[in-house]
Amino acid sequence: MIEKRDSSERLVMFTDAVAAIAITLLILPLLETVAEAPSFDELVHEHRAQFGALLLSFAVIFRFWWAHHRLFRHISRLSGWLVVWSAVWTFAIVLLPIPTAVISAFSSSAGTVFFYGATLVLASGSLTALALIAYRNPELSEGRTPVPRDALLGNVTIFATQALATAVGCIFADRVNYWAFFLMFLTGPIERVVRRRWRSAPAA
């Protein structure tokens, strides 16, 4: 088991590298498509789903990476559970190019939407667990500013939004499907509203 005296820097460098590789892998199927397309017009018309999946997953991975990066600005030491949940988060990021390929290759259905959404929920849920552990164990922030309640709130909001988007996308797979996941970009305004109420309450 990892002891709390261990530095978080190596873990952060590892997860940063994993996120960068995952983003790079998203483009590979599209590069093959470009090489096989007879014309640019046909490429854009016939493969617009691939372009859409690429943009959505790029934005999702970047958002998750940035949230993870911001959280670890407050964490200087590691615990065993921090490493475990970081491994779960990393697995979700590594997995994401697969459901991205699935949603661009197959028609939308409750199953494909669930596969994509479950991956996002796994990533946001593990990130929320990391924020909760760090918030409840301020000694892990030795030499740095402890994790604020706002950081925990932000991750909880993203997790709840992803879970809601997955449910909506699955239930209305024939009409809404993957468009539901753009709800995650509304987490900022939602978070600000909740934060104003939360700040009026005493800290735990």
Side-chain angles (χ1 to χ4, degrees):
M1 187 66 71
I2 302 297
E3 296 183 8
K4 293 180 181 179
R5 65 172 178 271
D6 294 323
S7 172
S8 64
E9 296 303 322
R10 285 186 177 274
L11 179 62
V12 171
M13 288 189 291
F14 174 73
T15 52
D16 284 354
V18 167
I21 292 171
I23 284 179
T24 303
L25 290 176
L26 294 174
I27 197 67
L28 296 183
L30 196 55
L31 289 177
E32 296 177 3
T33 300
V34 170
E36 297 171 356
S39 67
F40 177 74
D41 290 342
E42 186 170 330
L43 170 68
V44 174
H45 179 71
E46 297 295 331
H47 301 282
R48 57 184 181 274
Q50 278 187 280
F51 284 101
L54 168 65
L55 291 174
L56 175 60
S57 293
F58 178 89
V60 166
I61 292 178
F62 188 88
R63 180 70 182 268
F64 280 138
W65 167 78
W66 183 239
H68 187 275
H69 186 74
R70 286 195 305 171
L71 176 64
F72 271 81
R73 287 178 179 176
H74 301 280
I75 301 172
S76 59
R77 304 297 179 196
L78 295 177
S79 69
W81 283 113
L82 274 180
V83 174
V84 168
W85 283 110
S86 285
V88 175
W89 181 87
T90 303
F91 173 75
I93 297 301
V94 169
L95 181 64
L96 192 55
I98 298 178
T100 300
V102 167
I103 68 176
S104 61
F106 302 101
S107 299
S108 59
S109 66
T112 59
V113 173
F114 177 78
F115 184 29
Y116 191 85
T119 305
L120 302 188
V121 170
L122 182 63
S124 58
S126 56
L127 196 58
T128 300
L130 286 169
L132 182 61
I133 291 169
Y135 177 70
R136 289 184 171 179
N137 297 274
E139 68 275 12
L140 298 176
S141 300
E142 181 181 346
R144 301 184 184 181
T145 305
V147 174
R149 289 200 304 172
D150 286 356
L152 177 59
L153 170 62
N155 286 289
V156 170
T157 303
I158 292 174
F159 172 66
T161 303
Q162 291 292 359
L164 175 62
T166 300
V168 171
C170 289
I171 295 171
F172 302 102
D174 56 333
R175 289 174 292 173
V176 180
N177 51 71
Y178 308 107
W179 290 102
F181 296 112
F182 284 98
L183 283 172
M184 71 176 295
F185 299 105
L186 297 178
T187 55
I190 296 172
E191 182 182 338
R192 284 192 289 271
V193 171
V194 178
R195 186 188 298 133
R196 284 196 294 267
R197 294 179 176 273
W198 201 359
R199 280 178 174 172
S200 64

